[in-house]
Amino acid sequence: DLRLDSLDGDFFQESDSLESIIKVLEDQQMPPKKSRQPTAKLRNAAVTFLKTTLSKHATPAKLKRLTRDEYANTINDIFGTHFHLTELLPPDPPGEGFSKWGESQTMSPHQVQSYLSTARFVADRLLLDERPRQRSWEFDINNFRGTGRGDFQTETEHVLTTHYPWRSILYFAERGGEGDEAIFRIPEFGRYWIQADVKSWYSDDAETVSLSVGDPRYSTNIQKIARGVLPSDGTTLFWNETLTAGTHVSFTYDSAATWNTGKKAETYDGRQVRFTKVRVTGPVTPQWPTVAEQRIFDDDRFLTLTTENSRAFVEHVIGLLLHRSVPEQDVLELSRLTQQRLLETGNAKAAARTLLTALLCSPQFIYKHEPETLDDLALAHRLSYFLWNSVPDRELLLAAEEGGLRDDDSLAEHVERMLLDPRCDRFCDDFTRQWLLTERIDDIGPDDRVHDKRKVTFMKIRELAREPKAFFRELL
């Protein structure tokens, strides 16, 4: 019911009609196949004209905030840290199936409080008053514990044999006793080195072991955070992870058969891994002052922070976190807050922590830079949070500052560079996970009437989720 031979000016204000025509022209559904066809050049010119017309009365962009992952990635990329923050910030409600949908990104009182708590948590750990004391713990068969569901012990080893539906686990007690108090927990936040002396038995293949967090006595509560691959002749696995205070750590055997054979564990002669010793070292601080501290106090002027140079310090930290100017009233308030904290404590790091807390839970940091007219800086942020799920790097910001980012050749060059960057994997992971719900693959068990249950491993099931991500990455 649409005639194209008698158009008037009102027609070009109808977004739905323009979108429909663009679609049928691009798909070559119109004109009908038996009709005379336009040249490719003419068709492309018509589509270009219609898209340009449509863009002139596009609805304004919705106010968008950083997702939980984007928030953590931004902090980690700016300060060279490894925060996860999944336990501190609530999950993002999806809209149209995706967490980045602007209309679904409401801010409840609970989320406001969560951002404040998270900002304090991050600020307190970015700037430490003294270097953490590094400690070491060593566990052996006297400390090893398990669930008894697919795991067992010899005189010197703790053996894991299965993963699904019974998950065999290894965790350890700091003292020889029983009960909650005896289970080893990470004493304070930081980076920890975890090394396990382990060998595979009855297997000529590489085996995969996961490092998990959560109370290991209840296997449904544990969460895998890293995996290690043990060669058939390997003897050691090593992890380097950021862990919070009070965290339980444990190991599970991911590449084990998904179903146990039904034999008693002690007589099971299928694939298995055997642990003899585990060492935990941390918190490890390889660089002091930390990278974060050096970036925050990177100017000689701020080696001694005073009320006189506090405004310059505030402007420096704003530039580090936001990459753009903020209203003068906000700068004055942040300067006053920093000066007040400095006078109360006489401690430059305490004042800086207060400033960081205020900025990390401020609308300027939580919400993305989306002006009414898209400028180069906003384009840099939009591009970076699209392809990297994080803040623009220095190269992209320089291009934006010079005003040439929207040039076709420059934009294409930066897109190509960003696609080749490892950070692009964040987008591929995030997009395919939400699009195809690949995180639910763990909920599916193989049908042993069809598949040989001795050959189906959890890792093979996991590869089902990784395949579409790898395929999408290749297409991209």
Side-chain angles (χ1 to χ4, degrees):
D1 298 323
L2 177 65
R3 293 185 63 100
L4 301 180
D5 57 355
S6 58
L7 301 181
D8 56 28
D10 292 339
F11 169 81
F12 292 101
Q13 303 302 317
E14 298 175 9
S15 299
D16 291 343
S17 297
L18 292 179
E19 289 177 356
S20 297
I21 293 175
I22 290 170
K23 177 175 174 54
V24 297
L25 286 176
E26 287 186 327
D27 293 346
Q28 299 189 18
Q29 297 175 13
M30 293 291 288
K33 292 188 180 298
K34 294 182 180 180
S35 302
R36 182 185 174 192
Q37 298 295 310
T39 64
K41 182 177 180 181
L42 179 57
R43 187 187 298 274
N44 291 338
V47 170
T48 300
F49 165 76
L50 292 170
K51 285 184 174 180
T52 302
T53 304
L54 181 63
S55 68
K56 291 179 180 178
H57 52 84
T59 56
K62 297 292 182 183
L63 190 64
K64 293 184 179 181
R65 61 171 172 79
L66 301 181
T67 66
R68 179 171 63 180
D69 289 340
E70 288 173 337
Y71 188 90
N73 290 338
T74 299
I75 292 171
N76 291 334
D77 288 349
I78 291 174
F79 295 114
T81 50
H82 302 87
F83 291 108
H84 299 300
L85 306 182
T86 53
E87 296 178 1
L88 295 171
L89 289 174
D92 302 292
E96 299 294 324
F98 294 93
S99 61
K100 293 190 179 188
W101 193 255
E103 292 181 355
S104 68
Q105 292 181 330
T106 56
M107 185 69 84
S108 67
H110 171 63
Q111 284 172 307
V112 173
Q113 183 61 47
S114 296
Y115 275 109
L116 176 59
S117 301
T118 303
R120 285 174 175 156
F121 176 88
V122 171
D124 287 347
R125 286 153 184 82
L126 282 177
L127 294 174
L128 303 173
D129 289 323
E130 57 184 28
R131 189 170 192 163
R133 182 172 70 91
Q134 182 173 305
R135 300 168 58 192
S136 294
W137 298 263
E138 188 170 287
F139 307 100
D140 56 23
I141 192 63
N142 296 312
N143 308 95
F144 290 164
R145 302 287 184 269
T147 61
R149 309 192 75 176
D151 55 74
F152 64 93
Q153 292 187 351
T154 69
E155 291 184 359
T156 58
E157 300 164 321
H158 189 94
V159 186
L160 305 184
T161 69
T162 189
H163 185 275
Y164 182 92
W166 305 285
R167 182 182 285 137
S168 54
I169 294 177
L170 166 62
Y171 62 99
F172 19 91
E174 193 166 2
R175 299 184 298 273
E178 299 292 335
D180 183 63
E181 292 300 320
I183 301 176
F184 174 74
R185 295 187 180 204
I186 296 298
E188 61 180 303
F189 174 87
R191 201 75 173 164
Y192 284 81
W193 293 342
I194 301 175
Q195 179 179 326
D197 292 347
V198 55
K199 292 182 180 181
S200 62
W201 281 51
Y202 308 121
S203 172
D204 295 326
D205 300 323
E207 302 296 341
T208 304
V209 175
S210 277
L211 175 69
S212 300
V213 297
D215 193 329
R217 296 170 299 172
Y218 311 101
S219 60
T220 55
N221 291 341
I222 67 172
Q223 175 189 1
K224 299 182 181 72
I225 59 171
R227 288 182 170 89
V229 177
L230 180 70
S232 58
D233 59 348
T235 59
T236 304
L237 286 172
F238 179 82
W239 290 270
N240 181 10
E241 293 295 322
T242 298
L243 301 170
T244 56
T247 298
H248 297 91
V249 291
S250 59
F251 302 110
T252 56
Y253 181 19
D254 277 20
S255 55
T258 56
W259 292 89
N260 196 296
T261 61
K263 295 181 181 180
K264 290 184 178 180
E266 291 81 353
T267 61
Y268 178 61
D269 57 0
R271 295 162 59 180
Q272 54 190 253
V273 288
R274 300 191 169 203
F275 291 80
T276 54
K277 192 166 291 186
V278 174
R279 302 173 190 84
V280 180
T281 302
V284 179
T285 314
Q287 188 173 340
W288 189 264
T290 61
V291 173
E293 184 173 333
Q294 292 181 44
R295 291 179 181 174
I296 293 169
F297 295 100
D298 75 335
D299 195 306
D300 290 342
R301 294 175 298 164
F302 307 136
L303 293 178
T304 303
L305 187 60
T306 65
T307 54
E308 285 73 26
N309 65 1
S310 59
R311 165 148 185 154
F313 178 69
V314 167
E315 291 175 342
H316 161 67
V317 177
I318 288 174
L320 183 65
L321 288 174
L322 307 181
H323 306 125
R324 62 183 185 272
S325 59
V326 299
E328 174 65 17
Q329 184 60 35
D330 290 352
V331 178
L332 291 174
E333 287 297 322
L334 290 168
S335 300
R336 181 192 62 77
L337 184 67
T338 305
Q339 291 172 3
Q340 178 182 341
R341 187 63 173 157
L342 189 62
L343 292 172
E344 290 174 351
T345 65
N347 186 324
K349 288 186 179 179
R353 285 193 289 266
T354 299
L355 172 62
L356 283 170
T357 301
L359 282 169
L360 291 175
C361 66
S362 69
Q364 289 92 339
F365 185 80
I366 293 174
Y367 287 92
K368 296 174 181 176
H369 177 51
E370 289 281 349
E372 292 185 7
T373 302
L374 186 68
D375 55 25
D376 283 63
L377 184 60
L379 178 59
H381 279 79
R382 185 180 289 188
L383 188 62
S384 182
Y385 279 105
F386 176 46
L387 291 180
W388 286 350
N389 278 11
S390 185
V391 69
D393 63 359
R394 189 60 196 153
E395 198 168 342
L396 197 59
L397 288 172
L398 283 174
E401 291 170 3
E402 293 169 358
L405 185 58
R406 282 180 289 181
D407 175 76
D408 287 347
D409 291 338
S410 176
L411 187 59
E413 181 181 335
H414 280 286
V415 168
E416 195 74 27
R417 176 181 68 85
M418 295 174 74
L419 288 174
L420 295 174
D421 192 285
R423 283 171 284 188
C424 189
D425 283 340
R426 296 169 178 169
F427 165 64
C428 297
D429 282 331
D430 198 37
F431 177 68
T432 54
R433 175 180 55 80
Q434 296 185 66
W435 171 33
L436 301 173
L437 305 178
T438 52
E439 77 275 10
R440 297 186 184 176
I441 198 71
D442 290 359
D443 298 339
I444 302 170
D447 186 342
D448 63 351
R449 297 170 299 178
V450 178
H451 304 284
D452 185 341
K453 60 187 178 183
R454 294 169 299 176
K455 295 182 179 180
V456 177
T457 68
F458 172 77
M459 292 303 295
K460 288 180 180 177
I461 296 174
R462 178 172 169 262
E463 291 305 312
L464 293 175
R466 296 185 51 157
E467 267 189 331
K469 178 245 177 175
F471 181 57
F472 174 77
R473 182 76 167 87
E474 179 68 17
L475 292 176
L476 187 65

